[in-house]
Each structure stands twice: as structure tokens, then as C-alpha cells.
Amino acid sequence: MTHLWVRAEQRPNEERVGLTPEGARALIDAGLKVTVEESTVRAIPLQGYIDAGCEIAAENSWPDAPRDAIIFGLKELPEDGTPLPHRHIMFGHAYKGQHSGKALLERFQAGGGTLYDLEYLVDESGRRVAAFGYWAGYAGAAVTLKTWAAQQRGELCGPVGVYEGKDALLAELSAELDGLKTDRPSAIVIGALGRVGTGAADLCEAMGVAVTKWDMAETASGGPFPEILAHDLFLNCIFARPGTPVFVPQEALTADRRLTAIGDVACDPDSDYNPVPVYDRATTWEAPALRVAQDPVLDVMAIDNLPSMLPVESSEDYAAQLLPSLLTLTDLASGVWGRAETTFKDHLPG
């Protein structure tokens, strides 16, 4: 019997989950065994999983799970260097030149396990079957606007946290912007036709922010892109990959520009293909903005788990997208899972 083990998330400020109680019941009805770990932070209460018929395990007990269990989480595992013998479904951040990803692949190689990277679960056409992108863009645009608003007050953006839902976020942000003695800023979104860019543009438009929407056609020239510097906000919603242009080069720090706030929603600062190479580390919920220039100021927002600001909505959305693929876990050799395993093997150290 195929056994899916839903682990508790161990990263700070991570309340999302990739499987809802309704999804768990569908898996059980299809003949799968589902174990769900207890969690002190998960946004969806445990009782729903109990009612759905899941087995319950202690928080963070997955290392002792049966060897044939498939461990399912979202964010990275603790970087403790231990070998990984299980099959894992998660965002590994290991295939795009990230330096921490190399260590993760070495752990899988040492333990004999397999990574089914959620970012690389794709259909026959190569399109991802599930993504948190919309809510990443939505929350990322919100924090970038908060970064800009703080600048208008002569401050650096303060801590951000979890919201009960998007209405609470919109109400708070609207009040903050209305309290400023200035007009709304202008924004440019690159990747506007994708999930991430759509979420970013929707948030901006909900706040009355004028948005310039760019996608591949507008960036095909490879740059430079002075239009970006002519906006108050720039939201990068394109994931780094070989061939991605540099949107904001180092020279922009001292250039004549209107731009004062960058929201790098894709957030790949340690990638060799980072299109926003004016910063070198992700920001945090406690310190959302990194100041990279002073005259005029330029702050970068690069939080890497933005959808967790809206954990219920983002979890329900993502879980609904992923469930059809989870229902095919009984056949790991083909389809979505077969393609993901091939990608994993192609990236293992030689």
C-alpha cells in the first residue's frame, strides 16, 4: 500500500501544508495510507485530518517513518547533513545552481533516497502541475508596498506576520498607504503573464497602484532596461534560469533613478542566474527589507516563503492543484512522478 507521510514544517513562519483534510480523505478513499504529523504551527487544524481517517504521528518524527513511506513537506529540511534514505516530496531548491542545493543532493545520494521536487512536477507539456505563485506574488507585492511606505516615513520596513486572510491584509495595507501624504507609487511587474506576476499585479491594482505589466516579449532584448528605473517599485516575478536577463545591475545603485523598492518575489539570491544581483541574501519576516543603496535609497524585499503570510488560502489553493497528482502516487515510474525522478537523477553529483 502506498503510504504518504505529511511531515510538520520546521522552518520559522511556515504554517502552510500541501494536503487538506478533504484531500487526505480522497487519497484514503483511493486506497492510500496517509499519516499526518502533529504540528504546533499548521494553519489547518489537526482534527480535520483525524476526521478524514488519517493516522497521526508525533511532530518531526518523519526520520523514523517506515522506509517505504513517501515523506511530503513543503519547505527545506533542517540542514544537518544527515543522509536521506526516504523518498521526499518538497521544494528542494537544488537544481538551479543554488549552493545549498548541492549539499541536499549529496544527502540524498548518501542515503539512497529520492527527491520529487515540487517545482519540477510537470505535465507532458512541461507546465508545473501546482504552484504557490499567485499568493507569493500577492504577498510579495504587499510587503514591497509596505517597504515603499516605510521609506516615505523615513524608515526601514518593520516586521511582517501572518494574516487571517487577504481581506485583513488589504485593510491594513490600505490604511497604511492612506496615512501617507503622497500619491500612490508606480510599479512594474516582470513576469506579469504568469501566476506570480498575476498575483503581484492584482494586489497592486487593489491598492490603486498603477502597474506596467511586462513579460517575455518585453525582456527579449536582454537589456539594459531603463524603464525599470523609471518606476517606484519593481517586482521580479520570473524565476532565475540560464538565459534570464539581468533586470537591475550593480550600476543601478548609483544611477539616476526613481526606483526605490525592489520586490524579488522569485528570490534566488544565491543562484548563478540571479536577475537582480544588487543583493546577496534573502530577507526575513523580522527584517523584510535590505537597504542596498542610500542616495537615493534602494531597498530589496526578498522573503522566500511569502505565501505563508496567507497560509490558509495559499494551502487550500495549492493542495487543490496538487491533489490529482497525489492520486497517482501508486505509479511512481511514469507521469508526473517519473519525470520528477528523472530530473532528480540528472542532477545528482557525478
Side-chain angles (χ1 to χ4, degrees):
M1 176 183 291
T2 300
H3 183 185
L4 184 67
W5 184 292
V6 181
R7 61 177 169 86
E9 297 295 327
Q10 294 176 258
R11 283 198 52 182
N13 305 314
E14 187 51 81
E15 301 184 11
R16 293 174 297 168
V17 63
L19 182 70
T20 62
E22 294 77 14
R25 183 180 296 278
L27 292 177
I28 292 168
D29 288 346
L32 282 74
K33 178 179 179 180
V34 180
T35 297
V36 177
E37 288 186 357
E38 298 171 330
S39 171
T40 55
V41 298
R42 189 181 295 126
I44 296 179
L46 187 66
Q47 188 60 50
Y49 297 98
I50 296 172
D51 295 343
C54 300
E55 296 190 6
I56 306 302
E59 188 167 10
N60 303 327
S61 61
W62 60 266
D64 298 320
R67 188 61 55 88
D68 64 350
I70 302 168
I71 312 301
F72 178 27
L74 295 177
K75 299 302 288 186
E76 301 92 332
L77 301 171
E79 295 181 4
D80 57 14
T82 56
L84 296 171
H86 290 95
R87 294 167 294 184
H88 283 259
I89 302 171
M90 65 177 181
F91 287 103
H93 304 295
Y95 302 155
K96 294 188 293 185
Q98 301 99 323
H99 305 298
S100 59
K102 297 174 184 176
L104 177 64
L105 291 174
E106 289 171 355
R107 292 173 65 189
F108 275 108
Q109 193 167 48
T114 301
L115 170 63
Y116 300 100
D117 195 308
L118 288 165
E119 191 173 345
Y120 293 85
L121 298 185
V122 297
D123 62 19
E124 296 85 351
S125 67
R127 180 176 173 80
R128 288 174 63 178
V129 299
F132 280 105
Y134 181 86
W135 295 106
Y138 201 92
V143 182
T144 307
L145 267 172
K146 291 175 74 68
T147 296
W148 178 86
Q151 292 172 348
Q152 310 314 300
R153 301 190 298 267
E155 303 169 359
L156 194 63
C157 186
V160 296
V162 175
Y163 292 87
E164 290 184 1
K166 72 172 187 177
D167 291 343
L169 170 60
L170 292 174
E172 179 188 286
L173 184 56
S174 180
E176 183 172 3
L177 294 174
D178 288 345
L180 300 173
K181 306 301 181 183
T182 184
D183 294 333
R184 295 290 202 260
S186 62
I188 182 169
V189 175
I190 295 185
L193 296 181
R195 292 184 177 109
V196 181
T198 299
D202 283 356
L203 183 283
C204 287
E205 290 170 346
M207 290 294 102
V209 172
V211 185
T212 299
K213 299 178 183 181
W214 277 16
D215 210 84
M216 293 180 66
E218 291 81 3
T219 61
S221 68
F225 303 108
E227 297 91 340
I228 296 174
L229 304 187
H231 290 76
D232 297 297
L233 278 61
F234 163 49
L235 295 160
N236 174 43
C237 300
I238 293 179
F239 288 100
R241 59 178 63 89
T244 299
V246 171
F247 298 136
V248 184
Q250 278 285 332
E251 307 88 79
L253 298 180
T254 54
D256 182 20
R257 56 180 163 79
R258 182 170 177 173
L259 181 70
T260 62
I262 296 173
D264 189 11
V265 182
C267 190
D268 273 318
D270 66 344
S271 170
D272 295 335
Y273 316 116
N274 179 14
V276 193
V278 296
Y279 78 110
D280 60 2
R281 61 189 182 274
T283 60
T284 66
W285 290 40
E286 293 73 25
L290 175 67
R291 182 146 296 174
V292 296
Q294 290 287 349
D295 188 21
V297 298
L298 181 60
D299 294 336
V300 177
M301 185 291 306
I303 297 172
D304 67 357
N305 61 336
L306 285 162
S308 288
M309 292 177 63
L310 297 165
V312 174
E313 285 149 318
S314 60
S315 293
E316 291 175 346
D317 182 18
Y318 186 81
Q321 296 175 54
L322 187 62
L323 182 59
S325 296
L326 292 178
L327 285 165
T328 68
L329 277 172
T330 52
D331 180 15
L332 289 170
S334 62
V336 166
W337 307 106
R339 287 187 286 271
E341 183 172 3
T342 297
T343 301
F344 165 70
K345 290 179 176 177
D346 287 345
H347 286 85
L348 281 178

